[in-house]
Amino acid sequence: MVIVTTIRRAVVTLPAAESGPDNPLPPLRPLDEAHRVDERDRRDLPRDMARQIAYEPLRGLLPVPLRDGYGRRRSPRDLDALVIENDRLSATVLPGLGGRLVSLVHRGRELLYRNPVLQPANFALNGAWFSGGVEWNIGATGHTTLSCSPLHAARVPAPDGGEMLRLWEWERLRDLPFQVDLWLPDGSDFLHVGVRVRNPHERPVPVYWWSNTAVPEQCRVLAPADQAWQFGYERRLRRVPVPAYDGVDRTYPLNSTHAADWFYDLPDGRRRWIAAVGADGHGLVQTSTDVLRGRKLFVWGTGGGGRRWQDWLTEPGTGGYCEIQAGLARTQLEHVRLEAESEVSWLEAYGPLGTPPDGEWTDVLRAAENRLEAALPRRAVDDAYAAWRPYADTGPGEILARGSGWGALEVLRGGWKLPGTPFDESTLGDAQAPWLHLLRAGALPEPRRSGAPGPTLVAPHWRDMLETAPATPLTEYHLGVAQWHAGDRAQAVRSWERGLGLAPADWPALRCLAVADRVDGHPERAADRYAQAFDDLCRDDFEGRAEVTAALAREAVEALLAVGRAAGARAVWERLDPDTRQRGAFRLLEAELLLAEGRPDAARAVFDAGFEVADLREGAEAIGELWARLSDEPLPARYDFRMRPPTR
């Protein structure tokens, strides 16, 4: 009997924290991204690498909202899953969570690190992200904004006559459609993954892609390189030898003390692959066609901060993990140019690898490459890619999951034909409704009388439509956001001020002006405007006001404390509801407020009572910095999230 790939629905039940609502305030502040290279290092980099690092790095998150409404209270939750299997492999995908491949089982052996919990944390560019499995990262340096978002999914015919699972969505940071096709050829020990990113625009765009695979950290990571670009949270990028650096073999993840990236410098012409192999000689290998150039090892390290993050993201005592990754460029600090009306595509393969991990580096690599070639020849990967390409345009059959309606809105506006990845009008929803009205009628719907202004769009074509639409407070608000995103701050301020002229108590516009004042170096005026915006909001009454109040209060208290106005910050604090005050981020803010009021003992008591900042940012050191102002004692382990060596 011939057994080919089949796809079935399933349910994965995990202790999970709810994702909560998105932040209702547009993210106007410059992106606080930890993965940046100091200017002093760029002069010593290869010319093409330096050029791609400088090529249109992401400056902000618009139009994507922040996702910071999650907590850390977990309860059993059923997650819709899709299982792809043949007689040797079983792959489990979560279409509602970025299409994450959470499990890959080969003949009863799990090849990935499978997280026993679902705990969002602030690692994605826009906030919520979770660890484990294989994630598909598109957009810009960092974890994709789609980490905890639904993708479209459907059955599609596979090249071998079986079934293929297609995932697709519209990536909003760069305005690009993409697809991920997964299938298991008959008798194959390897999951095949075809990826395509398209640029339908009449201009070049920067493209970023990394496939990140979590594996147990008790392993040795193998990649065909004798040098790597090492990047730590000191924001230094330096070329180092592989496998040993500073007298330590860094290909064993547990040999590193601090969190770090090791971008392997694979020689031209060498097969692209990376593997994680345990002491028993069994592990996972990822290989691809040559377009997917880069390979990387990420380690948390054995230091206190790295171990704390592992416990934070998983379940203490369940074993740590590292990540082996593959991307379009040599490092994740780079973006690749995709020409107008063109596309880039490649094929990846994931499967088991049995090879001795220990020994002299060149001997270990030679043995591993020979085993890989025997299991999946390099030519077979190229042939599989060639066989898949005609099927990339095949229209989907049964729809298995729905993503967002943003792609449908963009296709309607642009009139694009995107074979293989239809963005059907049936996916349009409430978030897209005002913009569909603008597209068809030339105006936004009737101005809001109260409430949050809703999602915003900032691409040039939407900005042009807003500029010619009738002036209303809502139109001026969205126009200002789009102008701000384009770098025209002065014009954005004028738009928001015009909106205030039409509606003096327009707290969304006041908040935007307050952010502009902080960014442009006018902290006192920013504090005034934040206080006024919060006061106006508290007089407003609408569904969902609690989330808006919390988000605005957090910004307002920080702005008021920045100019030494503790009494004003306390006035905002006192108007928050008790449940909001008990959230970890607000407990940390309360400690800041108490210290500003000259009450260090009360601030220290907040630490002693304990709190957890659910949306603590990767690389953030705010907790440790506040503790140092309160105490000469070492930072308690529960608050130690430091990801870099102590500053000398």
Coordinates of all heavy atoms in Angstrom, one line a residue, residues 87-137:
D87 N 4.0 7.6 6.9 CA 4.3 6.5 7.7 C 5.5 6.6 8.6 O 5.8 5.7 9.4 CB 4.4 5.2 6.8 CG 5.6 5.4 5.8 OD1 5.9 6.5 5.5 OD2 6.1 4.3 5.4
R88 N 6.2 7.7 8.5 CA 7.5 7.9 9.3 C 7.5 9.2 10.2 O 8.1 9.2 11.2 CB 8.7 8.0 8.4 CG 8.8 6.7 7.5 CD 10.0 6.8 6.6 NE 10.1 5.6 5.7 CZ 11.2 5.3 5.1 NH1 12.3 5.9 5.2 NH2 11.1 4.2 4.2
L89 N 6.8 10.2 9.7 CA 6.9 11.5 10.4 C 5.5 12.0 10.7 O 4.5 11.7 9.9 CB 7.6 12.5 9.5 CG 9.1 12.7 9.6 CD1 9.6 13.6 8.5 CD2 9.6 13.2 10.9
S90 N 5.4 12.8 11.8 CA 4.1 13.5 12.1 C 4.5 14.9 12.5 O 5.3 15.1 13.4 CB 3.4 12.7 13.2 OG 2.2 13.4 13.6
A91 N 3.9 15.9 11.8 CA 4.2 17.3 12.1 C 2.9 18.0 12.5 O 1.9 17.8 11.9 CB 4.8 17.9 10.8
T92 N 3.0 18.7 13.6 CA 1.8 19.4 14.2 C 2.0 20.9 14.1 O 3.0 21.4 14.6 CB 1.6 19.0 15.7 OG1 1.5 17.6 15.8 CG2 0.4 19.7 16.2
V93 N 1.0 21.5 13.5 CA 1.1 23.0 13.2 C -0.1 23.7 13.9 O -1.2 23.2 13.9 CB 1.0 23.2 11.7 CG1 0.9 24.7 11.4 CG2 2.2 22.6 11.0
L94 N 0.2 24.9 14.4 CA -0.8 25.7 15.1 C -1.1 26.9 14.2 O -0.4 27.9 14.2 CB -0.4 26.2 16.4 CG 0.0 25.1 17.5 CD1 0.4 25.8 18.8 CD2 -1.2 24.1 17.7
P95 N -2.2 26.8 13.3 CA -2.4 27.9 12.4 C -2.8 29.2 13.0 O -2.6 30.3 12.5 CB -3.5 27.3 11.5 CG -4.2 26.3 12.3 CD -3.1 25.7 13.1
G96 N -3.4 29.1 14.2 CA -3.9 30.3 14.9 C -2.8 31.0 15.6 O -3.0 32.1 16.2
L97 N -1.5 30.4 15.6 CA -0.4 31.1 16.3 C 0.8 31.1 15.4 O 1.8 30.5 15.6 CB -0.1 30.3 17.6 CG -1.1 30.4 18.7 CD1 -0.9 29.3 19.8 CD2 -1.1 31.7 19.4
G98 N 0.6 31.9 14.3 CA 1.7 32.1 13.4 C 2.1 30.9 12.6 O 3.2 30.9 12.0
G99 N 1.2 29.9 12.6 CA 1.6 28.6 11.8 C 2.8 27.9 12.5 O 3.4 27.1 11.8
R100 N 3.0 28.1 13.7 CA 4.1 27.4 14.4 C 4.1 25.9 14.3 O 3.0 25.3 14.5 CB 4.1 27.8 15.9 CG 5.3 27.3 16.7 CD 6.6 28.1 16.4 NE 6.4 29.5 16.7 CZ 6.8 30.0 17.9 NH1 7.3 29.3 18.9 NH2 6.6 31.4 18.1
L101 N 5.2 25.3 13.9 CA 5.4 23.9 13.9 C 5.8 23.5 15.3 O 7.0 23.7 15.7 CB 6.4 23.5 12.8 CG 6.8 22.0 12.8 CD1 5.6 21.1 12.3 CD2 8.0 21.8 11.8
V102 N 4.9 23.0 16.1 CA 5.2 22.8 17.5 C 5.7 21.4 17.8 O 6.3 21.1 18.9 CB 3.9 23.0 18.4 CG1 3.6 24.5 18.4 CG2 2.8 22.2 18.0
S103 N 5.6 20.5 16.8 CA 6.0 19.1 17.1 C 6.4 18.5 15.8 O 5.7 18.6 14.7 CB 5.0 18.3 17.8 OG 5.4 16.9 17.9
L104 N 7.5 17.7 15.8 CA 7.9 16.9 14.6 C 8.5 15.6 15.1 O 9.6 15.5 15.7 CB 9.0 17.6 13.8 CG 9.5 17.0 12.5 CD1 8.3 16.8 11.5 CD2 10.7 17.7 11.9
V105 N 7.7 14.6 15.0 CA 8.0 13.3 15.6 C 8.4 12.3 14.5 O 7.6 12.1 13.5 CB 6.7 12.7 16.4 CG1 7.0 11.3 16.9 CG2 6.4 13.6 17.5
H106 N 9.5 11.7 14.7 CA 10.0 10.7 13.7 C 10.1 9.3 14.4 O 10.9 9.1 15.3 CB 11.4 11.1 13.2 CG 12.0 10.1 12.3 ND1 12.9 9.1 12.6 CD2 11.8 9.8 10.9 CE1 13.3 8.4 11.6 NE2 12.6 8.8 10.6
R107 N 9.2 8.4 14.0 CA 9.2 7.1 14.5 C 9.2 7.1 16.1 O 9.9 6.4 16.7 CB 10.3 6.2 14.0 CG 10.3 6.0 12.5 CD 11.3 5.0 12.1 NE 11.4 4.8 10.6 CZ 10.6 4.1 9.9 NH1 9.6 3.4 10.4 NH2 10.8 4.0 8.6
G108 N 8.3 7.9 16.6 CA 8.1 8.0 18.1 C 9.1 8.9 18.8 O 8.9 9.2 20.0
R109 N 10.1 9.5 18.1 CA 11.1 10.4 18.8 C 10.8 11.8 18.4 O 10.7 12.2 17.2 CB 12.5 10.0 18.3 CG 13.6 10.9 19.0 CD 14.9 10.7 18.3 NE 15.5 9.4 18.6 CZ 16.3 9.2 19.7 NH1 16.7 10.2 20.4 NH2 16.8 8.0 19.9
E110 N 10.6 12.7 19.4 CA 10.4 14.1 19.1 C 11.7 14.8 18.7 O 12.7 14.6 19.4 CB 9.8 14.8 20.4 CG 9.7 16.3 20.3 CD 8.6 16.7 19.2 OE1 7.4 16.5 19.4 OE2 9.1 17.3 18.2
L111 N 11.7 15.5 17.6 CA 13.0 16.1 17.1 C 13.1 17.5 17.5 O 14.3 18.0 17.5 CB 13.0 16.0 15.6 CG 12.9 14.6 14.9 CD1 13.0 14.8 13.4 CD2 14.1 13.8 15.4
L112 N 12.1 18.2 18.0 CA 12.1 19.6 18.4 C 12.1 19.7 19.9 O 11.9 18.7 20.6 CB 10.9 20.3 17.8 CG 10.7 20.2 16.3 CD1 9.4 20.9 15.9 CD2 11.8 20.8 15.5
Y113 N 12.3 20.9 20.4 CA 12.0 21.2 21.7 C 10.5 21.6 21.8 O 10.1 22.6 21.2 CB 12.8 22.4 22.3 CG 12.3 22.8 23.7 CD1 12.7 22.1 24.8 CD2 11.5 23.9 23.8 CE1 12.2 22.5 26.0 CE2 11.0 24.3 25.0 CZ 11.3 23.6 26.2 OH 10.9 23.9 27.4
R114 N 9.7 20.8 22.4 CA 8.3 21.0 22.5 C 7.9 21.7 23.8 O 8.0 21.0 24.9 CB 7.5 19.7 22.3 CG 6.0 19.9 22.2 CD 5.4 18.6 21.8 NE 3.9 18.8 21.6 CZ 3.1 17.9 21.0 NH1 3.6 16.8 20.6 NH2 1.8 18.2 20.9
N115 N 7.6 22.9 23.8 CA 7.3 23.6 25.0 C 6.0 23.1 25.7 O 5.0 22.9 25.1 CB 7.1 25.1 24.7 CG 7.2 26.0 25.9 OD1 7.0 25.6 27.1 ND2 7.5 27.3 25.7
P116 N 6.1 22.7 27.0 CA 5.0 22.1 27.7 C 3.9 23.1 28.1 O 2.9 22.8 28.6 CB 5.6 21.5 28.9 CG 6.8 22.3 29.2 CD 7.3 22.7 27.9
V117 N 4.2 24.4 27.8 CA 3.2 25.5 28.2 C 3.2 26.5 27.0 O 4.1 26.5 26.1 CB 3.6 26.2 29.5 CG1 3.6 25.3 30.6 CG2 4.9 27.0 29.3
L118 N 2.1 27.3 27.0 CA 2.1 28.4 26.1 C 2.1 29.7 26.9 O 1.1 30.1 27.5 CB 0.8 28.3 25.2 CG 0.5 29.5 24.3 CD1 1.6 29.7 23.3 CD2 -0.8 29.4 23.6
Q119 N 3.2 30.4 26.9 CA 3.4 31.6 27.7 C 3.9 32.7 26.8 O 5.0 32.8 26.4 CB 4.4 31.4 28.9 CG 4.6 32.6 29.7 CD 3.4 33.2 30.3 OE1 2.7 32.5 31.0 NE2 3.0 34.4 29.9
P120 N 3.0 33.7 26.5 CA 3.4 34.8 25.7 C 4.5 35.6 26.5 O 4.4 35.7 27.7 CB 2.2 35.6 25.5 CG 1.0 34.6 25.6 CD 1.5 33.7 26.7
A121 N 5.4 36.2 25.8 CA 6.4 37.1 26.4 C 6.8 38.1 25.3 O 6.5 38.0 24.1 CB 7.6 36.3 26.9
N122 N 7.4 39.2 25.8 CA 7.7 40.4 24.9 C 9.0 40.2 24.1 O 10.0 40.9 24.4 CB 7.8 41.6 25.8 CG 7.7 42.9 25.0 OD1 7.7 42.9 23.8 ND2 7.7 44.0 25.7
F123 N 8.9 39.3 23.2 CA 10.1 39.0 22.3 C 9.8 39.3 20.8 O 10.7 39.5 20.0 CB 10.6 37.6 22.4 CG 11.5 37.3 23.6 CD1 10.9 37.4 24.9 CD2 12.8 37.1 23.4 CE1 11.8 37.2 26.0 CE2 13.6 36.9 24.5 CZ 13.1 37.0 25.8
A124 N 8.5 39.3 20.4 CA 8.2 39.7 19.1 C 8.4 41.2 18.9 O 8.4 41.9 19.9 CB 6.7 39.3 18.7
L125 N 8.5 41.6 17.6 CA 8.7 43.0 17.4 C 7.5 43.8 18.0 O 7.7 44.9 18.5 CB 8.7 43.3 15.9 CG 10.0 42.9 15.2 CD1 9.8 42.8 13.7 CD2 11.1 43.9 15.5
N126 N 6.3 43.2 18.0 CA 5.2 43.9 18.6 C 4.7 43.4 19.9 O 3.6 43.7 20.4 CB 4.0 43.9 17.6 CG 3.5 42.5 17.3 OD1 4.3 41.5 17.4 ND2 2.3 42.3 17.0
G127 N 5.6 42.6 20.6 CA 5.2 42.1 21.9 C 5.1 40.6 22.0 O 6.1 39.8 22.0
A128 N 3.8 40.1 22.0 CA 3.6 38.7 22.3 C 4.3 37.7 21.4 O 4.1 37.8 20.1 CB 2.1 38.4 22.3
W129 N 5.0 36.8 22.0 CA 5.7 35.7 21.3 C 5.8 34.5 22.3 O 5.7 34.7 23.5 CB 7.1 36.2 20.9 CG 8.1 35.1 20.4 CD1 8.2 34.7 19.2 CD2 9.0 34.4 21.2 NE1 9.2 33.8 19.1 CE2 9.7 33.5 20.3 CE3 9.4 34.4 22.6 CZ2 10.7 32.7 20.7 CZ3 10.4 33.5 23.0 CH2 11.0 32.7 22.1
F130 N 6.0 33.3 21.8 CA 6.2 32.2 22.7 C 7.3 31.3 22.1 O 7.6 31.3 20.9 CB 4.9 31.4 22.9 CG 4.4 30.7 21.6 CD1 4.5 29.4 21.4 CD2 3.7 31.5 20.7 CE1 4.1 28.8 20.3 CE2 3.2 30.8 19.5 CZ 3.4 29.5 19.3
S131 N 7.9 30.5 23.0 CA 9.0 29.7 22.6 C 8.6 28.3 22.2 O 7.6 27.8 22.6 CB 10.1 29.7 23.7 OG 9.5 29.1 24.9
G132 N 9.5 27.6 21.5 CA 9.3 26.2 21.2 C 9.0 26.0 19.7 O 8.5 26.9 19.0
G133 N 9.4 24.8 19.2 CA 9.0 24.4 17.8 C 9.8 25.2 16.7 O 10.9 25.7 17.0
V134 N 9.2 25.3 15.6 CA 9.8 26.0 14.4 C 8.9 27.2 14.1 O 7.7 27.0 13.8 CB 9.9 25.1 13.2 CG1 10.6 25.9 12.0 CG2 10.7 23.9 13.5
E135 N 9.4 28.4 14.1 CA 8.6 29.6 13.7 C 9.1 30.2 12.4 O 10.3 30.1 12.1 CB 8.7 30.6 14.9 CG 10.1 31.0 15.2 CD 10.2 32.1 16.3 OE1 9.4 33.1 16.2 OE2 11.0 31.9 17.3
W136 N 8.2 30.8 11.7 CA 8.5 31.4 10.4 C 8.5 32.9 10.6 O 7.5 33.6 10.7 CB 7.4 31.0 9.4 CG 7.0 29.6 9.6 CD1 5.8 29.1 10.0 CD2 7.8 28.4 9.3 NE1 5.8 27.7 10.0 CE2 7.0 27.3 9.6 CE3 9.0 28.2 8.8 CZ2 7.4 26.0 9.4 CZ3 9.5 26.9 8.6 CH2 8.7 25.8 8.9
N137 N 9.8 33.5 10.5 CA 9.9 34.9 10.8 C 10.1 35.7 9.6 O 11.1 35.6 8.9 CB 11.2 35.1 11.7 CG 10.9 34.8 13.2 OD1 10.1 35.4 13.8 ND2 11.5 33.7 13.7

